[in-house]
Amino acid sequence: MPSSLDAEALGRAAQWELLREAVETVTDAGQALWLSGEAGIGKTVLLEQAGKYAAGRGLRLLRISGAEGEKDLPFAALHQWVWPLLEEAQELSYEGRAALELALGAGSGDAAGSCTVPAAALDLLGVVSRRQPVALLIDDLHWIDASSAEALYFVQRRLAALPVVMLVTVHKEAVAATDSTGARILELQPLGDEGAHALLRELHPRLSYAARRRILQESAGNPLALAELPAQLGEPQRTGQMPLPDHLPLGERLGRMFKQRFAALPDSARFVLLLCALAGREGQSLQLIAAAARAADIGTVDADLAVAEDSGLILIDGGTPQVTFRHPLVRASLVEAATGTELRRAHAALADVLPQGELRRLTHRAAATVAADETLATALDEAAARTQSRGGGTDAAHLFARAAGLSGDAAGRGRRLLAAACASAADGQLHLASQLLDQAVAHGVPQDSRYLLDFARAMVRHADGDMGPAIELLPVVLDRLPDAQATRTMRLSSLFMLYVAAGYTADPLVWEAISTRLSGTSDFARLGHDVWNDPARCAHGAQERFEAALRTFSEDGEAGEVWLLLWAAAGLDGIDGDAPLFRRLARRHSYATQAFLSNVAAYGDYLHGRWDRCVERARGGAVAARVRGFRLNEAVLRYTEGYVAAARGQQQAVDDLVASLHPWAAARGLTFIVQRLRAMQAQCALTLGDYETAYAHASSLTPPGVFPADVTRLNMVFLDLVESAVHTGRNEEARRHVEAGHACHLDRISPHHGFVLLAAEAIVSEDVDLAATAVYTAPGASQWPFELARVRLHHGAWLRRQRRRAEAREQLAAAHRIFVDLKADPWADRAEQELRVCAEPTPAGASGVVESLTVQELRIAELVAQGLTNRDIGTRLHLSPRTVAGHLYRVYPKLGITSRAGVARALGGHETP
């Protein structure tokens, strides 16, 4: 597709407008846009057009081109844009520069955490972009090595603060398997009639009407097919001098098109092109290709390349000298079209000429080898270990798997496949880990590696939400692990997975298994046990213990120690995900740690009223978890987002979430998630004023005055139970629950537990002034705006009923401001309605009855006075008829009447607000 034909003319106006806007606004906010679509759809052309536009506006262009031959080379793509920048970035920290140089093979030293390299790349991009806005162009993301891809995903999620626009092309089929968090995906569809006609006229102006119509039909709007199909026709056919064949030479599928073109080349030319394809980016070097061809006894390299160039498959730049494929699809088609014998011959030739010690030489040699070769397998093992130490877990898994294929016996294959599974699981690639585990079991795992098999199996199934393997296998793993420093990480990680299994299933036998194995563990391990196992009786002083343990925490600790820290934090008040400590932990550790950190941070955002950020963090994390197969993380993040939906009264969103998650969680025995969904339903019902339903849900978790040992996060349902009980006339039950909270010293668990207890005290107190003042003056009261606003709303309504209207308006206005900031519209409406009632004069003859009613009771009474039935009222107010009847049960004695007939008379003509 030529650059002279603009995007609008080709039917890409919408996509081009977004690309252009991203370039023009780069100094305001960075962003990432992905161009997705089938092969040959025009992604690269649109990318190049955007690159030229960016360069014209003064942006610096940085380019990455994915190559199939480099997909297994750690940090190969990162090298393309980071290496040229290192000399320019003197401001980069020594740690960051050292991490990048080590990753790129130019430095030495201890391996950094798996997030250190991505973080350093982000810092480097920040340094460069502050001097000049940057356009980072990434072509063929699906062919980029896993380590580089993780770095790019890390950068992509943090672009908003940088003057950087990231533009990416990716095959449509690959999008689901990649992490698009933070990016906007622009899917390119086949060209419409107008765009396809315009492109065909530009490329092939001499086509006859018949040929044009046929090609338009069979190309189905694919730009590459429109460009290539006519080129395969003879001149007489193109001009209409001869009829078109029944079947066009290349067909609709692009792979077949290229294979047919390859068939027209001499065998030696096809082989030379295959060398270029397998060599990856280095395949552009004529010197390397010529050496490999000679090693394979091909002595006609120059002539073969000339033939290939004449065929339109490649371009040769004699000045560099370099070979460039005209379209990335040529490379993949060459590999696909080659026979196994041809592939092995080409790999062997490349291995013969690459320098000793290079990983590429080793991988080419492995690809060229069919028979078992224990020496080569051992070399791959060593390379995999080095790769894993540099943070390339998925790349290491591929190397271990290749070594398994070269093993001389089944035990060796099983052991190496197991090592591959563990490496990929640690890097968050669960789909791959699961496949590798199955293969390892099929080949057989040596007895001395069984504990590793059990650990890996538990980890994979645990991430999917299946706690059975963890419960069954991990106690035995803990008992059999050698008591050595080398197995400490596995010991701590096993203990953590057992904690999650116990906490999520509420299985007392699992808690017992943990209790008997706590000896010699960390403070966080013991704290996690107490916070999650019967917290009302075991978690007293937990917050102080957590802070004391945190003061002795080493950031260099193993992943398992970090997980136990986060597990304890999750049972308390959450954490500030932006705190320096946790930002550093996210950079140093693997995806599993980052995901858990995101879970706990999103929970903290909800508690502290940062609801929009909670939703953003939860949604982004859920997408990343889904891509990687971490269904448990996805579920946790989804119900955390559900907290916000419930507090905002988004009934449909809550219903959809319950319908989606409840069957999944119940089938796996995940009691904790089932409880969270029930608490969410209680909150949503309370928000919408359906107090009977709210009470039913809340009391099913914690009956009044009772705190079951298997119900954790009592702070998330405590106030809802008390408030719904008061609104349904169950004042005795509400007071009993508050008294039980004091008796169990809930205020000694965490500051939020204590604040919720104070708030509930204000709801049930007869002296609301005194109790509410205790809430307002509590240390850090503003940290929990939602609960604070609910107390102010209750206090204001009480003051209004006491006819202290000026004081009432002050509290109600304060509550209204908080609810508006939280976008909790039903709560804001309730505060606004109270304010309106507060502003109205008392109607003559009402004798103060208006002040005695809550706003909800007043609205229902007015509708009764108008003659509406309970069902009609429920429909209008989105309440059940049972809830309406419950309100009337409390309205009648307040108005001094015994039937519906007396409501209008008792209200004294009061008008509905």
Side-chain angles (χ1 to χ4, degrees):
M1 190 189 310
S3 59
S4 60
L5 205 61
D6 62 21
E8 288 83 355
L10 292 173
R12 308 296 194 205
Q15 292 89 350
W16 174 247
E17 179 63 20
L18 292 171
L19 293 172
R20 183 187 59 78
E21 182 181 3
V23 170
E24 292 177 352
T25 61
V26 67
T27 56
D28 297 328
Q31 56 180 303
L33 293 95
W34 286 20
L35 298 171
S36 164
E38 65 182 22
I41 204 68
K43 305 182 294 293
T44 299
V45 172
L46 202 54
L47 179 73
E48 291 301 318
Q49 186 172 329
K52 291 178 180 178
Y53 185 76
R57 292 188 62 87
L59 275 69
R60 179 172 184 176
L61 300 188
L62 300 177
R63 296 179 182 272
I64 299 176
S65 181
E68 185 181 26
E70 295 183 342
K71 188 171 176 60
D72 295 328
L73 298 179
F75 299 112
L78 193 71
H79 193 287
Q80 295 181 44
W81 66 282
V82 167
W83 186 257
L85 301 179
L86 280 178
E87 294 305 318
E88 301 179 30
Q90 300 304 320
E91 299 95 326
L92 199 63
S93 69
Y94 172 81
E95 179 186 13
R97 188 184 184 92
L100 290 174
E101 289 178 347
L102 179 62
L104 301 182
S108 59
D110 295 332
S114 63
C115 283
T116 303
V117 171
L122 177 66
D123 292 341
L124 177 60
L125 191 59
V127 169
V128 173
S129 63
R130 283 195 293 272
R131 299 173 185 161
Q132 181 183 5
V134 168
L136 181 55
L137 309 182
I138 305 169
D139 200 12
D140 284 342
L141 175 67
H142 43 276
W143 289 131
I144 285 177
D145 62 278
S147 302
S148 297
E150 287 298 322
L152 290 171
Y153 300 151
F154 186 95
V155 170
Q156 177 175 267
R157 292 191 290 269
R158 294 158 177 82
L159 277 182
L162 298 178
V164 176
V165 57
M166 179 188 291
L167 306 179
V168 177
T169 69
V170 59
H171 281 178
K172 180 180 179 180
E173 302 80 14
V175 171
T178 54
D179 186 353
S180 60
T181 307
R184 182 169 185 176
I185 299 178
L186 311 179
E187 184 174 339
L188 301 186
Q189 300 293 338
L191 297 178
D193 290 343
E194 183 177 349
H197 276 284
L199 178 58
L200 201 55
R201 282 195 302 268
E202 175 77 6
L203 295 176
H204 303 285
R206 298 180 58 198
L207 282 177
S208 68
Y209 172 77
R212 184 179 303 279
R213 183 178 62 180
R214 176 77 177 277
I215 290 169
L216 285 170
Q217 177 185 355
E218 296 202 19
S219 68
N222 185 287
L224 188 58
L226 289 166
E228 297 296 331
L229 282 172
Q232 302 309 306
L233 299 173
E235 180 69 10
Q237 292 173 321
R238 288 196 296 268
T239 59
Q241 298 175 31
M242 291 184 63
L244 295 172
D246 290 339
H247 301 284
L248 295 179
L250 301 177
E252 294 182 9
R253 298 185 63 179
L254 297 179
R256 290 181 182 175
M257 178 192 332
F258 285 115
K259 290 176 185 177
Q260 297 247 356
R261 294 178 67 180
F262 302 153
L265 296 175
D267 290 346
S268 58
R270 286 203 308 273
F271 185 78
V272 169
L273 286 180
L274 182 60
L275 288 173
C276 294
L278 293 176
R281 184 164 47 89
E282 289 298 324
Q284 298 174 1
S285 165
L286 287 177
Q287 183 179 3
L288 174 65
I289 298 305
R294 287 192 297 271
D297 294 327
I298 302 293
T300 56
V301 178
D302 292 341
D304 291 331
L305 289 173
V307 171
E309 186 174 30
D310 290 341
S311 74
L313 291 170
I314 61 172
L315 290 173
I316 298 177
D317 182 354
T320 313
Q322 288 181 331
V323 178
T324 304
F325 288 107
R326 284 186 176 270
H327 190 278
L329 197 59
V330 177
R331 188 191 306 271
S333 299
L334 279 163
V335 176
E336 183 180 345
T339 66
T341 300
E342 289 171 333
L343 287 169
R344 288 190 292 274
R345 181 185 174 202
H347 280 298
L350 288 166
D352 286 342
V353 299
L354 284 166
Q356 289 284 351
E358 278 203 18
L359 178 58
R360 288 174 301 167
R361 179 186 177 104
L362 184 61
T363 57
H364 281 302
R365 183 65 66 196
T369 304
V370 176
D373 188 329
E374 192 62 33
T375 300
L376 185 54
T378 300
L380 286 169
D381 285 343
E382 294 169 353
R386 291 193 299 271
T387 298
Q388 190 170 9
S389 71
R390 290 166 53 194
T394 304
D395 296 313
H398 290 306
L399 291 171
F400 278 128
R402 288 188 181 185
L406 296 171
S407 298
D409 55 64
R413 284 191 292 274
R415 182 169 54 249
R416 284 169 172 137
L417 286 168
L418 184 56
C422 289
S424 56
D427 210 27
Q429 301 295 333
L430 292 179
H431 294 306
L432 175 61
S434 182
Q435 293 175 3
L436 291 166
L437 269 178
D438 290 343
Q439 295 173 27
V441 172
H443 285 285
V445 176
Q447 190 62 38
D448 60 0
S449 297
R450 291 292 303 181
Y451 73 90
L452 189 59
L453 172 63
D454 291 344
F455 173 79
R457 183 181 289 156
M459 178 184 291
V460 171
R461 299 308 306 155
H462 177 276
D464 190 51
D466 181 1
M467 301 297 157
I471 294 172
E472 176 186 355
L473 301 173
L474 291 183
V476 179
V477 169
L478 286 168
D479 292 340
R480 293 182 178 176
L481 273 177
D483 190 13
Q485 184 65 28
T487 61
R488 176 175 167 79
T489 294
M490 189 176 295
R491 182 177 300 280
L492 293 174
S493 299
S494 298
L495 186 62
F496 164 75
M497 285 191 284
L498 265 183
Y499 268 130
V500 175
Y504 276 66
T505 63
D507 188 335
L509 294 179
V510 186
W511 281 119
E512 182 179 347
I514 293 172
S515 298
T516 61
R517 292 168 175 84
L518 280 178
S519 177
T521 57
S522 69
D523 292 338
F524 290 123
R526 291 185 290 275
L527 180 59
H529 176 276
D530 296 341
V531 167
W532 283 86
N533 183 25
D534 197 4
R537 281 154 285 276
C538 299
H540 299 153
Q543 187 69 28
E544 292 82 358
R545 290 167 59 193
F546 178 81
E547 291 172 357
L550 197 59
R551 286 193 291 270
T552 64
F553 174 72
S554 172
E555 295 179 29
D556 297 325
E558 299 93 339
E561 183 76 4
V562 177
W563 293 351
L564 291 170
L565 177 158
L566 294 173
W567 176 250
L572 296 171
D573 286 341
I575 58 172
D576 183 355
D578 294 326
L581 168 63
F582 296 107
R583 286 204 307 270
R584 291 193 295 271
L585 289 177
R587 290 184 175 191
R588 294 177 64 89
H589 289 276
S590 67
Y591 167 77
T593 302
Q594 295 176 56
F596 194 7
L597 180 63
S598 181
N599 293 344
V600 183
Y603 172 53
D605 286 338
Y606 172 75
L607 289 184
H608 296 297
R610 301 186 291 264
W611 288 1
D612 286 343
R613 190 165 73 172
C614 172
V615 170
E616 180 182 2
R617 196 192 300 266
R619 286 180 179 174
V623 169
R626 188 180 313 120
V627 168
R628 292 174 176 271
F630 276 70
R631 296 190 67 189
L632 182 62
N633 281 342
E634 180 189 358
V636 171
L637 286 160
R638 288 182 64 198
Y639 77 62
T640 302
E641 180 187 353
Y643 287 151
V644 177
R648 287 175 170 170
Q650 297 166 352
Q651 183 71 66
Q652 190 60 55
V654 171
D655 290 345
D656 290 346
L657 184 61
V658 172
S660 171
L661 277 187
H662 189 280
W664 178 84
R668 287 160 173 76
L670 301 178
T671 302
F672 176 75
I673 293 181
V674 172
Q675 292 173 350
R676 292 301 91 223
L677 295 174
R678 181 62 60 84
M680 189 186 309
Q681 290 174 298
Q683 174 67 87
C684 190
L686 183 68
T687 296
L688 296 175
D690 189 354
Y691 301 119
E692 284 289 348
T693 299
Y695 181 80
H697 284 310
S699 61
S700 71
L701 293 174
T702 56
V706 179
F707 304 115
D710 63 348
V711 177
T712 53
R713 288 195 179 169
L714 300 168
N715 51 325
M716 296 295 286
V717 72
F718 189 92
L719 186 58
D720 294 345
L721 175 76
V722 170
E723 199 166 351
S724 61
V726 168
H727 278 291
T728 55
R730 297 178 173 90
N731 295 321
E732 178 57 36
E733 288 88 339
R735 283 191 288 270
R736 190 192 321 151
H737 206 59
V738 173
E739 290 169 0
H742 283 296
C744 285
H745 303 290
L746 293 188
D747 55 323
R748 293 185 55 202
I749 296 177
S750 80
H752 186 252
H753 284 78
F755 189 75
V756 165
L757 186 58
L758 276 178
E761 182 74 49
I763 299 296
V764 302
S765 177
E766 293 183 2
D767 189 347
V768 180
D769 274 333
L770 180 63
T773 299
V775 173
Y776 306 151
T777 58
S782 61
Q783 292 183 71
W784 301 287
F786 186 42
E787 292 86 348
L788 178 63
R790 288 161 67 176
V791 171
R792 289 193 183 278
L793 175 61
H794 176 80
H795 188 196
W798 180 82
L799 289 168
R800 190 259 303 168
R801 292 193 295 274
Q802 300 298 312
R803 303 188 185 184
R804 294 159 59 182
R805 296 193 172 193
E807 296 170 83
R809 283 193 292 271
E810 179 182 353
Q811 296 300 333
L812 293 171
H816 184 263
R817 284 193 299 271
I818 296 174
F819 290 137
V820 168
D821 288 343
L822 294 173
K823 300 178 185 176
D825 294 342
W827 292 94
D829 290 346
R830 202 170 301 162
E832 185 175 6
Q833 291 159 9
E834 283 281 2
L835 282 167
R836 290 169 63 184
V837 171
C838 208
E840 290 184 353
T842 303
S847 303
V849 294
V850 171
E851 284 82 357
S852 70
L853 302 179
T854 68
V855 167
Q856 190 81 311
E857 291 169 348
L858 178 58
R859 293 172 72 194
I860 290 173
E862 288 289 348
L863 294 173
V864 168
Q866 294 174 23
L868 274 68
T869 66
N870 286 4
R871 184 172 298 278
D872 293 335
I873 296 170
T875 300
R876 180 173 297 190
L877 301 182
H878 305 290
L879 301 173
S880 67
R882 184 188 63 179
T883 298
V884 174
H887 280 296
L888 287 175
Y889 178 78
R890 291 181 293 280
V891 166
Y892 290 168
K894 290 182 180 181
L895 298 182
I897 60 176
T898 58
S899 68
R900 303 171 76 92
V903 172
R905 182 176 62 256
L907 292 180
H910 180 77
E911 295 182 358
T912 304

